[in-house]
Amino acid sequence: MNIAAPLIEVENLEAWYGRRRVLHGIDFSVQPGEIRVIMGGSGSGKSTLFRHLLGLQRPVSGSVKLFGIDLANASERELLGVRKRIGVSFQGGALLTSLTVGENVALPLREHTTLDESTIRIMSRLKLEVVNLGGFQDLMPSQLSGGMVKRAALARAIVMDPRLLFFDEPSAGLDPVVSAELDELILRLRDALRMTIVVVTHELESAFKIADTITVLDQGEILMTGSVAAVRASDNQRIQDLLNRRPREVLVDADAYLKRLTEEEA
Amino acid sequence: MNANANDVASEIRDGYVLVRLSGEVDLSWSQAVRLAVLDALDHDTAVGVDLSEVSYIDSSGIAALVEGFQRARTRGSRFALVAVSDAVRAVLELARLDRVFLLVATPEAIVTVA
């Protein structure tokens, strides 16, 4: 049995945008070596949860712990320690446009280590090879296709061999072959480099291929967390709607509706 | 998990230098591995790196091996990875380096393999 402490622990997490509550008391944990997929439709709260996991947004209430460290109450030193052990691949890549691809990938090594330049060069080019961008180090991000940007961002996210990798929408905007290659790579990163990986996606095929466990979010609540088989077999109507791409029924509360249309501060 | 202590040791043998690594090679001490590999190459003889007791190697450790291999090639020396453990092989395969390095099963094969 795996009795290791979870790498991620979220307890009773609440998030609000104005008067709209977008996360309702989320409890969430991820074990070392696990590939967890957070799945949900648009507006389900998955991006908000993702930002909280990265410490980019502070919880209104509840807590987010990575490696046992509460992000909201951590010292600068503790936060730096956490940042060195995580890698993040953002949906849009977030490459620095004034740096070459190679400089982008090498950036975390230059910021966080005292490795000699030769090691930094080999490590960053190695990761470009891993994502099938070998030899592209001297190009600027503007010279890359969307799929290449995403892969370069992944190379930067894994250049420090993070224990915990966050990956936002790996398949979005990619052709099916590159998308399948990325799925395969995610599995190999876990196996070869022992990464724990959290992937946010709404791509069902990708989720089912890579996930050990899936957390299904809907309207700010976790509908379930379970294995691929358990999610597929769930008798929850919303989960089945998501899996079968059925549009949801929008309930109309006449009072609330009129209020939203007419109140000055709706 | 980690049965072997982190260690690097070199010994001069008949016709080659063998660098033995053990434990988990990561950022915390991979620079010592790099220096040991580069020092071994200074003997101007074949070099083998025994990886049988390595339970984990990260990219900085792999980078040390790549740099050693490249330096050996420029000097015309032979450089081989010996008895590669499954954990190391998985990382080599991730970057397709298993097709780049010379991999041998035993130290003796460093000098005998064609």
Side-chain angles (χ1 to χ4, degrees), chain A residues 169-186:
Chain A
E169 298 285 5
S171 310
L174 298 185
D175 72 57
V177 173
V178 175
S179 175
E181 285 173 358
L182 271 184
D183 288 344
E184 197 60 43
L185 179 57
I186 288 169

Side-chain angles (χ1 to χ4, degrees), chain A residues 16-17 22 46 53 78 85 96 137 228 236 242 263:
Chain A
W16 296 73
Y17 294 136
V22 288
K46 59 185 192 301
L53 293 177
E78 285 174 321
R85 285 184 283 170
L96 299 179
Q137 63 272 2
V228 171
N236 181 295
L242 271 171
E263 273 193 0

Side-chain angles (χ1 to χ4, degrees), chain A residues 145-173:
Chain A
S145 72
M148 287 172 170
V149 167
K150 204 174 268 281
R151 283 183 281 151
L154 176 60
R156 185 177 61 186
I158 61 175
V159 76
M160 298 262 293
D161 296 326
R163 285 191 63 201
L164 185 51
L165 172 66
F166 293 97
F167 205 160
D168 192 9
E169 298 285 5
S171 310

Side-chain angles (χ1 to χ4, degrees), chain A residues 13 15 36 54 59 73 79 83-84 116 126 131 140 148-149 155-156 163 172 176 178-179 186-187 200 204 222 237:
Chain A
L13 180 64
R36 168 69 58 89
L54 300 180
N73 296 308
L79 282 178
R83 284 194 198 111
K84 285 183 183 176
D116 63 283
L126 200 60
V131 300
M140 300 304 287
M148 287 172 170
V149 167
R156 185 177 61 186
R163 285 191 63 201
V178 175
S179 175
I186 288 169
L187 293 169
V200 174
L204 294 172
I222 291 179
Q237 186 58 45

